[in-house]
Amino acid sequence: NYFPGGRTIGAGTIHINESVRGKSCLVETVAQTVATAMNTLMNLNTTAVRNDLGATVATNTITIPAGVNRVNITGNIGWTANGTGYRQAKVFKNGVGARGLPAATMAAFASAAALQNLSGEIDVVAGDQISVELHHTSGGNLDTLGASNGAWLRVTAVR
């Protein structure tokens, strides 16, 4: 029993797809202004810091390549200091947020910038698009930190 893109182990009952390896990581290189109470896709540099996953990358998305069925998603968002409301970041798959996708909500910080982290594993198929949506309730426009401590999104193949 041969597993495409992988190898057979033992009597053919365990299959490991060795071709499923790699990461795709995009970073935010300039600050992004996010309007209050508006859902806004996080803008990322289209030049991947690392893309040995072979994913297709765009300003807001990492598109899953063929052969990948599960990924670990990690990300970071830096917000400028503002003491009003809350900050929220949600991972979207194909433009939709859903139960089981990584998300984080936190209170605002008046005296310091706030860093928000996301992490989780999800099932995927080839062509799925991974993005991050930002939201806040500061009462005015709020910037991300950009290149200083910027935002980033990393998708790592698990299987």
Side-chain angles (χ1 to χ4, degrees):
N1 294 346
Y2 178 74
F3 188 73
R7 64 184 166 118
T8 301
I9 296 179
T13 57
I14 300 173
H15 306 286
I16 297 175
N17 186 346
E18 294 178 333
S19 67
V20 178
R21 302 226 190 280
K23 298 176 185 174
S24 184
C25 184
L26 301 177
V27 298
E28 180 185 61
T29 54
V30 296
Q32 177 180 354
T33 300
V34 180
T36 192
M38 296 294 296
N39 297 328
T40 305
L41 284 178
M42 183 170 67
N43 287 329
L44 298 161
N45 190 327
T46 56
T47 304
V49 172
R50 179 175 178 174
N51 192 13
D52 54 3
L53 178 62
T56 303
V57 297
T59 305
N60 308 89
T61 61
I62 295 175
T63 303
I64 304 300
V68 178
N69 300 312
R70 189 163 181 84
V71 295
N72 179 275
I73 299 170
T74 52
N76 185 69
I77 299 88
W79 296 96
T80 55
N82 177 301
T84 304
Y86 66 86
R87 313 292 173 259
Q88 188 174 61
K90 298 184 284 186
V91 170
F92 275 30
K93 183 167 84 169
N94 300 322
V96 179
R99 186 173 296 169
L101 294 176
T105 301
M106 61 187 254
F109 289 95
S111 60
L115 297 178
Q116 194 168 30
N117 302 104
L118 299 166
S119 180
E121 281 190 16
I122 63 169
D123 292 327
V124 293
V125 297
D128 278 349
Q129 294 184 334
I130 306 300
S131 58
V132 175
E133 183 183 81
L134 305 176
H135 185 91
H136 71 87
T137 57
S138 72
N141 289 342
L142 190 63
D143 290 339
T144 60
L145 294 179
S148 62
N149 280 312
W152 50 267
L153 173 64
R154 181 176 62 210
V155 175
T156 305
V158 175
R159 66 170 190 238

